[in-house]
Amino acid sequence: MRQRKLEIYSVEHHAATDIKKKEGRDGKKDNDLELKRNQQKEELKKELDLDDHKLSNKELETKYGTDIIRGLSSTRAAELLAQNGPNALTPPKQTPEIIKFLKQMVGGFSILLWVGAVLCWIAFGIQYVSNPSASLDSVYLGTVLAVVVILTGIFAYYQEAKSTNIMASFCKMIPQQAVVIRDSEKKVIPAEQLVVGDIVEIKGGDQIPADIRLLSAQGCKVDNSSLTGESEPQSRSSEFTHENPLETKNITFYSTTCLEGTATGMVINTGDRTIIGRIASLASGVGNEKTPIAIEIEHFVHIVAGVAVSVGILFFIIAVCMKYHVLDAIIFLIAIIVANVPEGLLATVTVALSLTAKRMAKKNCLVKNLEAVETLGSTSIICSDKTGTLTQNRMTVAHLWFDNQIFVADTSEDNLNQGFDQSSGTWTSLSKIIALCNRAEFKPGEESVPIMKRVVVGDASETALLKFSEVILGDVMEIRKRNHKVVEIPFNSTNKFQLSIHQTEDPNDKRFLLVMKGAPERILEKCSTIMINGKEQPLDKSMAQAFHTAYMELGGLGERVLGFCHFYLPADEFPETYSFDSESMNFPTSNLCFVGLLSMIDPPRSTVPDAVTKCRSAGIKVIMVTGDHPITAKAIAKSVGIISANSETVEDIAKRCNIAVEQVNKRDAKAAVVTGMELKDMSPEQLDELLANYPEIVFARTSPQQKLIIVEGCQRQDAVVAVTGDGVNDSPALKKADIGGAMGITGSDAAKNAADMILLDDNFSSIVTGVEEGRLIFDNLKKTIAYTLTKNIAELCPFLIYIILGLPLPIGTITLLFIDLGTDIIPSIALAYEKAESDIMNRKPRHKKKDRLVNQQLAVYSYLHIGLMQALGAFLVYFTVYAQQGFRPTSLFHLRIAWDSDHLNDLEDNYGQEWTSYQRQYLEWTGYTAFFVGIMVQQIADLIIRKTRKNSIFKQGLFRNKVIWVGIASQIIVALLLSYGLGSITALNFTMLKAQYWFVAVPHAILIWVYDEMRKLFIRLYPGSWWDKNMYY
Amino acid sequence: MRRQLRSRRAPAFPYGSRYRLDDQDEVNQNYLADEEEEAEEEAQMMMASNSEEEKEEEEEEEKEEEEGQGQPTGNAWWHKLQVINEYLWDPERRMSLARTGQSWRVMIRPFAHSLNFNFNVSEPDTWQHYVISLNGFLQGYNDSLQEEMNVDCPPGQYFIQDGDEDEDKKACQFKRSFLKNCSGLEDPTFGYSTGQPCILLKMNRIVGFRPELGDPVKVSCKVQRGDENDIRSINYYPESASFDLRYYPYYGKLTHVNYTSPLVAMHFTDVVKNQVVPVQCQLKGKGIINDVINDRFVGRIIFTLNIET
């Protein structure tokens, strides 16, 4: 036995190395193949090492070294626990906090800034060696750069940690308990401490604590929905009924629930070795791909870093050619890089994303990973699970057929509005059967709870019927009391009916009432009459035909149909004292009176059809992927609009035209229903073709692996795929998807772990809100980036002109950082609050590879249009200050060498005045401050123009987004503080700027605004023109 | 009007920055260089940077408008604009907008890229450049030139010239011969060949600024740190060791074209040899600030003498 176990472990070990090997590969194709092979191996494994269901109790005892009566000894259990680890799923591997932190420190622009800082220090070091009194400026700069990187790193880390923490608190669950027999005693222990060989007891309502081989069971039913996705109760007993361990009755699985009954069993697998554990590890084996926004930001960082480094190096070479000292050239290089890199932007983006995440959480869309916020916005295909996501996950009465007529019942969530005709006598009889022939009961003590929310003990169909009759008839328990039940035969799969006999509530009527429900064809067989309008009529051929039509129709809707009949037992044959016996069935079960049909379905959530329509208009393809039956799947798909009313599948066309399926032109069909069996035989190319050609697709009877294959197929179409689901079976697909959304209420932990997003209210329509927010944030990030990039030119020009034309330096590197990280931060965040310009839900999702966050138009317009204007405006302020101090603009050209010379202390200006180097330095700082203020003033205009990309600002409303004004106020306050508050601190290079200089750039700011309004006007006037193509970003 | 302004402005920029700054030594030698040559250079520079010039002019226009808004309207508007544009001058306060409330900075000659005078008396190569520098600097002070260009105004009082802002101002003579032994006339080596170097001290020009209330500013030098006796005697020329009031106020080089900065020469006749002697020369007088830390040239200057024999 030991040997065997070792084998199992070795298999697992191989699997692990396989995954590693897989990750090592580069090619995506290879990856997929490898993954599939891996999956097959997993599947193989399941069948290989689980044969406990075939073993007898004795064999089990020896295999696991336990005793069925006395259980394990505590010492042995402790040993096994130490050996195999606790009975819990290993949480997905967490990156160590320190690694996460360091990643933030080197990600994005950080590495560039680190290089800058180090170069600064090196430059100082060299200077210091040659001249110990070298100025400390480059040390300051290097330190400031390092501080900036560290601060932004800490900030990003903190943001991420915060959103992770929300998740952690969400996932925390009450520890599970298990009743176990150890040392011949019943003990309640935490389920985590279960070990293989433990004998556990399960009762209705418990979660199964491990994979268990049942030894004995009484009326045990389990809900395997967390494994298979379908919540149909399955009975469990100790008999071995099927080769496949998943199908056999004597095994229950970890994390499924026991609905009713009791059972005793032996633990055969714990923790990660359980079936669920394996699926979960399958999920964690699926690689995490970069989110679209991460790709976009990377793209943006590459652009900016590319510009920064190439301009920097170009001017480094120019500077060296112009015979500048190499050290000076290095300092220029650093300055150019610092000017080009928007230091604050990545932090801003993080804040903007987390703001959106918060907003989404308010709308019941909890996003685990900040970057996933935007992913939802670029989603182009949603693969949705059916049960629980699109549907309410509870059976509800949908249709009734009596008096040869189909009635529609209300299936909305509250179910109160049952408006069908209830006047017929047939209905009176039918309702009585529904109420009486039912074993389900409300859990006591919940009378104040709305009927639809009360807990019911009983299976799904009976629950549906109970609630249905409670809504219509009132207190069903009371009715049952008045019609005392004499005998009953519960439903079983051989009879396919359920029967009970009651005394009637009418004290004058001494007859017994026999009520029966079951599979319609079985019920009909037992009837000879049918009730029409309260009257019994013989069941002739035409009536039978009508019955069949109705049955087929309701069945075709994917609904579960039940037939109802009754029979008043003649009082003379069955007096009050008659003793009924359910075993011998000493009462008639034929020639009954057929009353009606009733069909039930797990109805779609009322908000789903609307949400699906919205997705459609937003250009998002909704695909249903379910483990359910194709007919039901199709019916639900039709009712929620996943298959629209007028589209047909190939089969539909074949049926309508009465031709063979093969003869139908596949191009005619818009919709397709594909089952797991068909999918199994498809090659990836066929799947691609299927996904590409049909706008409306339903996948039915799919396995977890197939869900994964479908998602991969969608991703091959360059689509951004969102997957919603709740079960463990969905978790690999959730993980593989670009964004996985798990259900918050019904979702299993495995699903929640694998998902990027949790729909707190289990509502598919929350996704639509999410998509809207995601698209909005993408637009707003564009605006933020455009806003931030603009000033880069104004920051860069001073250095270029300084190098080429030798002006006294217009702005210092440290001053730049105060723009990037001081005045500009709040305004750029404020843009995240901007409302959408037009209906963003009416346009196509962005193309992952074509619609970039930062495109050429954005860069060109920001850099070369507004950016240059801004640079000009800032230079205007600079020249004004110098001119007023005595240096005319023309005299500034090529003044640099004299200006920067420490020894020249009587430099003459245009008025013959003479300046010492310290005076010049002070003037230079005043110039920095002036340039800074110039940029700040124009950034206010820039902020206002960035509110919209196409519409006029006045249409968008200047004051609708109040945060913008907070941003503007913050800019001004920060600038005032820097100039007047910190003006005396030498290292910061600010001076108290005279009041009049603050207004010099105002006309330029207005010019920028007017220019941008013109741009937008022409875009609106001439859509599709050259202007539109080149000026719209 | 504008056109006129601009055409006036062109000659008002007689000193191309390149000229003045790239070759500082030459500047000193040719302090009052030929006007024509300057104009030529100016023109070249203007052509070279034509585009920038245009841009600036645009900006300047805007700036003019900007400032114009702050001024009272009326007939005098254009006039005001002209005045402001040309002189950046506040006529009411009679001060440059820029340089109000400042104090005197001082600078010394010869200009030596550092304030450490190291030379060996017996090796002329080590001090020849000081002599050349001083000679060049004093070209503008030649008695003949001063007599020709400037007026001999009465000493001991401000030479105040009222009248229109843009009227040309006269300048007072400061003759090279005032400097006696340091004029280079008797001793063309300014004492460097004998180990008794002359150092000239001048105050940085400030438009409109005047020494406090009628007291001329005096100069006094001493050893900054160390033995007081390292410098046993200093002769000052002019003997008053002060800047006469008649050289103030300065009206700016646009109108005060031939203004000649007054000088005080320090003749270090007996300094300890073969040793670094730090010297501090301070301005003394009412309201004179000479102890600012940030700017080491406010009212004082510190330099070292290291005369080897």
Side-chain angles (χ1 to χ4, degrees):
Chain A
M1 285 303 135
R2 277 284 153 79
Q3 195 107 41
R4 216 200 123 63
K5 226 182 249 171
L6 277 175
E7 261 173 46
I8 299 170
Y9 287 122
S10 68
V11 171
E12 296 235 336
H13 185 73
H14 281 303
T17 47
D18 273 350
I19 290 171
K20 261 178 217 150
K21 251 190 244 161
K22 183 200 82 196
E23 280 168 353
R25 295 276 172 95
D26 293 342
K28 194 169 155 33
K29 277 260 162 73
D30 276 7
N31 230 340
D32 288 351
L33 278 175
E34 197 72 22
L35 190 69
K36 256 169 233 158
R37 229 174 281 154
N38 213 43
Q39 283 160 12
Q40 280 162 3
K41 223 169 244 172
E42 292 263 351
E43 214 141 15
L44 208 65
K45 237 169 60 194
K46 262 180 231 159
E47 269 134 61
L48 262 181
D49 61 14
L50 203 76
D51 54 2
D52 292 331
H53 52 299
K54 299 173 193 163
L55 303 180
S56 73
N57 289 4
K58 264 268 140 335
E59 284 169 317
L60 281 168
E61 273 188 318
T62 39
K63 177 175 175 187
Y64 292 109
T66 183
D67 187 306
I68 288 174
I69 310 299
R70 280 176 286 145
L72 286 172
S73 67
S74 309
T75 44
R76 172 84 185 127
E79 250 174 61
L80 282 171
L81 187 65
Q83 187 188 325
N84 296 340
N87 173 33
L89 298 183
T90 341
K93 238 179 238 160
Q94 297 280 329
T95 343
E97 295 297 302
I98 185 74
I99 300 284
K100 275 193 205 165
F101 184 70
L102 289 178
K103 258 189 182 167
Q104 299 290 0
M105 289 289 170
V106 294
F109 297 118
S110 303
I111 201 84
L112 217 52
L113 294 179
W114 276 122
V115 170
V118 169
L119 280 180
C120 273
W121 290 323
I122 292 176
F124 175 77
I126 297 172
Q127 272 177 345
Y128 185 81
V129 168
S130 60
N131 173 16
S133 66
S135 94
L136 285 166
D137 280 357
S138 40
V139 177
Y140 287 150
L141 180 60
T143 313
V144 168
L145 286 180
V147 168
V148 163
V149 177
I150 293 171
L151 281 185
T152 49
I154 289 176
F155 177 79
Y157 172 75
Y158 166 76
Q159 279 291 344
E160 206 181 90
K162 213 165 71 175
S163 63
T164 325
N165 280 346
I166 299 175
M167 247 341 272
S169 66
F170 187 83
C171 279
K172 212 163 267 172
M173 302 248 294
I174 313 143
Q176 212 188 328
Q177 304 280 319
V179 181
V180 63
I181 298 171
R182 279 185 188 168
D183 307 325
S184 312
E185 274 176 57
K186 257 193 208 178
K187 284 179 186 168
V188 178
I189 60 165
E192 279 205 353
Q193 293 178 11
L194 283 182
V195 293
V196 170
D198 263 330
I199 308 298
V200 291
E201 290 189 358
I202 309 156
K203 60 179 190 309
D206 283 355
Q207 213 177 24
I208 311 289
D211 281 359
I212 290 168
R213 159 71 159 84
L214 296 183
L215 302 169
S216 64
Q218 292 83 39
C220 179
K221 279 189 175 175
V222 293
D223 176 359
N224 271 356
S225 61
S226 71
L227 196 62
T228 60
E230 298 312 313
S231 54
E232 187 71 5
Q234 297 174 1
S235 64
R236 283 290 178 264
S237 64
S238 55
E239 296 132 41
F240 160 54
T241 57
H242 203 286
E243 280 286 322
N244 187 340
L246 287 168
E247 303 278 331
T248 185
K249 284 202 165 179
N250 58 358
I251 289 187
T252 61
F253 297 102
Y254 177 53
S255 96
T256 59
T257 18
C258 176
L259 292 174
E260 56 185 282
T262 57
T264 313
M266 183 189 293
V267 175
I268 51 171
N269 274 321
T270 58
D272 290 332
R273 289 170 298 280
T274 58
I275 298 289
I276 291 282
R278 277 176 209 164
I279 295 180
S281 68
L282 178 60
S284 63
V286 174
N288 243 344
E289 299 209 352
K290 269 190 188 144
T291 59
I293 193 74
I295 294 169
E296 287 306 316
I297 287 174
E298 202 168 83
H299 175 236
F300 157 73
V301 168
H302 285 162
I303 289 180
V304 171
V307 170
V309 171
S310 46
V311 172
I313 289 178
L314 178 69
F315 276 84
F316 178 80
I317 294 167
I318 290 177
V320 170
C321 292
M322 287 177 76
K323 307 233 161 55
Y324 281 89
H325 200 273
V326 175
L327 273 184
D328 286 338
I330 289 176
I331 298 286
F332 298 157
L333 174 68
I334 296 163
I336 287 171
I337 289 175
V338 172
N340 250 313
V341 169
E343 286 83 8
L345 188 60
L346 293 187
T348 314
V349 169
T350 314
V351 173
L353 288 176
S354 68
L355 282 174
T356 306
K358 248 184 220 166
R359 213 151 42 193
M360 283 163 82
K362 252 186 222 157
K363 291 174 180 167
N364 290 318
C365 222
L366 184 70
V367 178
K368 270 161 72 177
N369 176 358
L370 276 188
E371 285 169 354
V373 167
E374 192 279 329
T375 314
L376 207 48
S378 43
T379 297
S380 51
I381 296 181
I382 298 177
C383 291
S384 179
D385 182 37
K386 178 182 77 76
T387 316
T389 314
L390 298 174
T391 66
Q392 301 170 14
N393 197 15
R394 59 184 171 81
M395 278 297 179
T396 307
V397 176
H399 292 96
L400 302 105
W401 180 79
F402 58 86
D403 294 349
N404 202 4
Q405 205 178 339
I406 290 179
F407 297 91
V408 182
D410 177 20
T411 54
S412 66
E413 272 82 348
D414 54 10
N415 226 329
L416 287 174
N417 193 16
Q418 300 293 5
F420 60 91
D421 181 19
Q422 296 171 5
S423 59
S424 161
T426 318
W427 165 247
T428 321
S429 304
L430 182 59
S431 62
K432 194 172 248 176
I433 306 170
I434 294 169
L436 294 179
C437 187
N438 192 333
R439 299 175 64 207
E441 284 176 20
F442 284 113
K443 200 174 161 190
E446 286 195 332
E447 283 72 19
S448 56
V449 182
I451 294 168
M452 295 325 279
K453 293 205 174 116
R454 283 192 217 165
V455 180
V456 175
V457 184
D459 74 21
S461 311
E462 297 232 297
T463 305
L465 292 172
L466 175 64
K467 286 185 175 173
F468 179 68
S469 45
E470 181 88 7
V471 165
I472 296 178
L473 303 175
D475 196 340
V476 172
M477 295 301 163
E478 186 57 37
I479 296 173
R480 288 197 198 158
K481 248 182 236 163
R482 279 187 269 133
N483 299 276
H484 179 70
K485 191 193 285 175
V486 188
V487 73
E488 78 172 344
I489 302 173
F491 185 88
N492 69 45
S493 46
T494 40
N495 286 345
K496 290 205 168 155
F497 65 79
Q498 177 182 355
L499 173 155
S500 59
I501 297 173
H502 301 258
Q503 295 168 337
T504 57
E505 56 190 317
D506 185 354
N508 302 325
D509 192 348
K510 296 290 177 216
R511 292 178 300 174
F512 285 99
L513 174 63
L514 181 151
V515 287
M516 186 196 262
K517 75 167 188 235
E521 64 277 8
R522 277 307 194 68
I523 298 294
L524 194 73
E525 278 169 19
K526 298 184 185 298
C527 293
S528 56
T529 59
I530 185 166
M531 184 178 272
I532 300 291
N533 296 329
K535 306 254 162 32
E536 267 191 62
Q537 290 180 4
L539 184 67
D540 53 19
K541 271 218 167 128
S542 66
M543 280 326 290
Q545 190 55 45
F547 160 86
H548 276 290
T549 318
Y551 181 28
M552 290 316 290
E553 191 174 341
L554 296 178
L557 292 173
E559 297 175 3
R560 185 187 297 166
V561 189
L562 288 175
F564 293 84
C565 65
H566 71 180
F567 186 65
Y568 282 98
L569 300 177
D572 46 349
E573 271 181 65
F574 301 94
E576 255 177 292
T577 53
Y578 188 85
S579 153
F580 292 96
D581 181 16
S582 62
E583 292 297 315
S584 59
M585 296 218 264
N586 53 355
F587 43 84
T589 56
S590 58
N591 292 328
L592 312 177
C593 169
F594 190 84
V595 180
L597 290 173
L598 186 148
S599 69
M600 285 169 296
I601 195 161
D602 178 11
R605 293 167 182 273
S606 51
T607 48
V608 170
D610 197 34
V612 171
T613 319
K614 274 190 185 159
C615 286
R616 275 273 155 70
S617 65
I620 301 169
K621 190 163 163 181
V622 183
I623 294 178
M624 182 195 278
V625 182
T626 176
D628 208 346
H629 200 269
I631 295 177
T632 320
K634 189 177 161 193
I636 294 292
K638 280 210 150 170
S639 66
V640 298
I642 288 178
I643 294 180
S644 46
N646 50 4
S647 47
E648 294 175 307
T649 62
V650 175
E651 291 78 13
D652 287 335
I653 297 174
K655 203 173 148 197
R656 177 166 55 83
C657 305
N658 237 337
I659 49 175
V661 173
E662 291 75 29
Q663 290 173 299
V664 178
N665 181 2
K666 281 188 178 155
R667 294 272 175 273
D668 291 345
K670 268 178 74 189
V673 178
V674 182
T675 63
M677 298 303 283
E678 292 165 346
L679 192 58
K680 212 181 230 171
D681 300 332
M682 276 187 193
S683 65
E685 290 74 33
Q686 281 172 311
L687 178 62
D688 287 352
E689 199 189 309
L690 175 82
L691 289 168
N693 290 338
Y694 294 94
E696 299 168 350
I697 308 174
V698 170
F699 289 99
R701 285 264 182 250
T702 49
S703 67
Q705 281 81 0
Q706 284 178 327
K707 289 191 181 189
L708 198 59
I709 289 167
I710 293 165
V711 171
E712 280 168 356
C714 293
Q715 282 170 336
R716 277 199 300 274
Q717 320 277 313
D718 268 346
V720 176
V721 185
V723 169
T724 59
D726 53 355
V728 175
N729 58 332
D730 296 321
S731 58
L734 286 172
K735 190 78 184 255
K736 178 72 199 171
D738 295 293
I739 179 163
M743 299 294 125
I745 303 169
T746 56
S748 59
D749 279 0
K752 285 180 197 165
N753 269 333
D756 307 292
M757 175 183 75
I758 291 168
L759 303 176
L760 292 176
D761 58 353
D762 284 15
N763 195 338
F764 181 77
S765 56
S766 302
I767 290 183
V768 179
T769 349
V771 169
E772 200 168 350
E773 290 290 346
R775 288 185 176 190
L776 182 60
I777 196 63
F778 187 79
D779 283 5
N780 285 347
L781 281 183
K782 255 188 176 177
K783 294 173 184 173
T784 301
I785 289 175
Y787 168 78
T788 316
L789 283 189
T790 303
K791 61 162 192 297
N792 278 6
I793 283 294
E795 291 177 352
L796 181 64
C797 285
F799 293 100
L800 306 190
I801 289 178
Y802 172 74
I803 295 171
I804 304 285
L805 296 175
L807 294 180
L809 188 60
I811 191 162
T813 319
I814 293 179
T815 324
L816 290 183
L817 291 173
F818 277 102
I819 301 179
D820 286 358
L821 298 168
T823 57
D824 262 8
I825 288 287
I826 298 178
S828 46
I829 294 171
L831 282 170
Y833 286 93
E834 203 51 51
K835 296 273 179 301
E837 271 178 74
S838 53
D839 193 355
I840 41 179
M841 290 307 276
N842 274 337
R843 63 175 196 226
K844 290 250 162 301
R846 76 184 179 89
H847 192 281
K848 206 154 60 161
K849 290 186 179 147
K850 285 184 199 145
D851 307 326
R852 310 308 305 247
L853 182 65
V854 177
N855 50 22
Q856 191 200 331
Q857 289 92 328
L858 186 147
V860 168
Y861 185 69
S862 297
Y863 274 141
L864 298 184
H865 292 237
I866 304 297
L868 275 186
M869 288 169 83
Q870 222 176 51
L872 232 67
F875 268 108
L876 171 66
V877 191
Y878 163 83
F879 280 125
T880 308
V881 167
Y882 274 77
Q884 288 220 333
Q885 298 286 319
F887 291 93
R888 297 291 188 86
T890 36
S891 69
L892 292 174
F893 291 97
H894 304 291
L895 185 56
R896 191 190 69 87
I897 295 171
W899 185 273
D900 289 348
S901 158
D902 277 343
H903 310 297
L904 184 60
N905 280 297
D906 52 356
L907 180 69
E908 199 182 274
D909 66 17
N910 290 104
Y911 297 91
Q913 309 188 94
E914 291 165 319
W915 297 69
T916 62
S917 78
Y918 180 78
Q919 282 177 300
R920 293 197 304 270
Q921 177 127 67
Y922 190 82
L923 177 57
E924 191 174 312
W925 290 345
T926 311
Y928 291 179
T929 316
F931 205 94
F932 167 82
V933 167
I935 293 181
M936 186 275 291
V937 167
Q938 294 174 91
Q939 277 293 80
I940 294 178
D942 191 26
L943 179 61
I944 291 173
I945 65 168
R946 299 300 183 183
K947 277 164 68 77
T948 61
R949 293 186 295 149
K950 195 173 202 163
N951 288 344
S952 164
I953 295 296
F954 301 101
K955 193 179 170 210
Q956 181 82 349
L958 253 182
F959 300 97
R960 217 166 61 167
N961 180 357
K962 303 275 187 304
V963 190
I964 289 279
W965 293 96
V966 173
I968 291 176
S970 82
Q971 275 182 305
I972 296 170
I973 289 168
V974 168
L976 285 172
L977 272 180
L978 286 174
S979 175
Y980 296 118
L982 306 174
S984 48
I985 300 174
T986 318
L988 299 184
N989 302 350
F990 280 97
T991 65
M992 299 198 187
L993 196 63
K994 281 189 183 160
Q996 65 260 36
Y997 297 139
W998 290 72
F999 299 97
V1000 177
V1002 170
H1004 253 261
I1006 294 169
L1007 186 68
I1008 286 176
W1009 189 346
V1010 171
Y1011 181 77
D1012 193 62
E1013 277 297 316
M1014 297 296 286
R1015 175 188 76 91
K1016 290 168 187 162
L1017 179 69
F1018 285 122
I1019 288 173
R1020 292 196 302 274
L1021 283 181
Y1022 306 108
S1025 63
W1026 176 90
W1027 187 273
D1028 185 22
K1029 276 181 205 140
N1030 288 282
M1031 299 293 273
Y1032 182 67
Y1033 55 87
Chain B
M1 190 73 187
R2 290 244 177 129
R3 190 171 292 268
Q4 210 182 337
L5 270 178
R6 219 161 265 144
S7 64
R8 266 207 61 175
R9 201 192 315 159
F13 283 104
Y15 306 106
S17 46
R18 232 171 60 207
Y19 160 72
R20 208 156 33 94
L21 303 160
D22 291 356
D23 315 288
Q24 190 64 39
D25 284 350
E26 273 176 51
V27 178
N28 293 335
Q29 282 162 20
N30 313 302
Y31 188 70
L32 287 177
D34 192 20
E35 286 275 337
E36 272 179 36
E37 206 181 301
E38 279 170 10
E40 234 176 77
E41 278 208 49
E42 172 73 10
Q44 276 172 5
M45 205 190 70
M46 298 275 271
M47 268 164 66
S49 56
N50 211 12
S51 53
E52 282 94 16
E53 194 75 4
E54 264 173 32
K55 192 176 74 192
E56 275 152 36
E57 271 171 17
E58 269 171 46
E59 280 161 13
E60 205 118 343
E61 273 171 45
E62 275 188 54
K63 183 186 76 199
E64 284 158 19
E65 279 161 33
E66 185 65 28
E67 274 145 22
Q69 284 159 15
Q71 298 295 322
T73 50
N75 289 340
W77 197 84
W78 273 114
H79 181 67
K80 288 272 183 199
L81 192 67
Q82 175 194 349
V83 170
I84 289 157
N85 179 49
E86 202 73 354
Y87 300 99
L88 298 169
W89 178 254
D90 181 347
E92 277 155 42
R93 292 164 66 195
R94 299 198 60 77
M95 277 178 183
S96 158
L97 280 175
R99 310 285 297 271
T100 50
Q102 293 194 347
S103 44
W104 296 107
R105 267 82 173 167
V106 294
M107 194 55 198
I108 50 172
R109 287 290 183 275
F111 181 77
H113 286 292
S114 85
L115 295 171
N116 306 318
F117 294 90
N118 304 322
F119 62 94
N120 194 323
V121 177
S122 52
E123 291 172 34
D125 281 355
T126 58
W127 45 261
Q128 197 59 45
H129 61 282
Y130 295 126
V131 175
I132 292 170
S133 168
L134 282 174
N135 237 334
F137 178 65
L138 287 175
Q139 285 304 311
Y141 291 83
N142 283 340
D143 289 18
S144 53
L145 191 68
Q146 285 294 324
E147 276 159 16
E148 184 192 328
M149 311 284 290
N150 294 343
V151 293
D152 188 11
C153 29
Q157 63 187 62
Y158 292 125
F159 185 45
I160 292 169
Q161 304 171 68
D162 287 329
D164 276 352
E165 285 297 331
D166 50 352
E167 201 174 88
D168 279 352
K169 302 290 190 295
K170 289 180 185 117
C172 289
Q173 293 174 358
F174 190 97
K175 293 183 187 167
R176 189 169 178 167
S177 54
F178 293 177
L179 301 175
K180 308 274 168 59
N181 288 340
C182 285
S183 64
L185 298 173
E186 288 107 63
D187 177 5
T189 66
F190 297 92
Y192 284 83
S193 57
T194 56
Q196 297 174 316
C198 278
I199 288 172
L200 308 182
L201 187 107
K202 71 183 188 61
M203 300 206 286
N204 278 1
R205 289 195 292 266
I206 303 174
V207 173
F209 198 57
R210 284 177 270 179
E212 278 295 313
L213 299 171
D215 283 334
V217 180
K218 274 194 152 220
V219 177
S220 104
C221 299
K222 60 177 200 278
V223 176
Q224 189 222 359
R225 239 177 341 192
D227 190 352
E228 294 262 333
N229 296 324
D230 283 352
I231 302 173
R232 278 184 284 273
S233 81
I234 308 172
N235 294 334
Y236 297 96
Y237 309 107
E239 281 85 354
S240 63
S242 66
F243 298 97
D244 198 285
L245 293 181
R246 62 179 160 166
Y247 300 106
Y248 303 95
Y250 174 52
Y251 288 97
K253 76 176 175 190
L254 296 178
T255 51
H256 220 159
V257 181
N258 294 322
Y259 181 80
T260 315
S261 290
L263 305 169
V264 169
M266 287 97 65
H267 196 190
F268 296 91
T269 48
D270 192 0
V271 182
V272 169
K273 303 290 188 298
N274 301 321
Q275 173 183 334
V276 176
V277 181
V279 186
Q280 171 171 272
C281 291
Q282 280 182 311
L283 299 183
K284 295 275 167 73
K286 216 192 264 173
I288 294 287
I289 302 164
N290 54 17
D291 54 358
V292 173
I293 295 163
N294 276 339
D295 192 343
R296 290 166 298 128
F297 298 91
V298 178
R300 62 172 171 172
I301 187 162
I302 297 161
F303 55 90
T304 61
L305 292 173
N306 185 4
I307 306 164
E308 290 167 19
T309 49

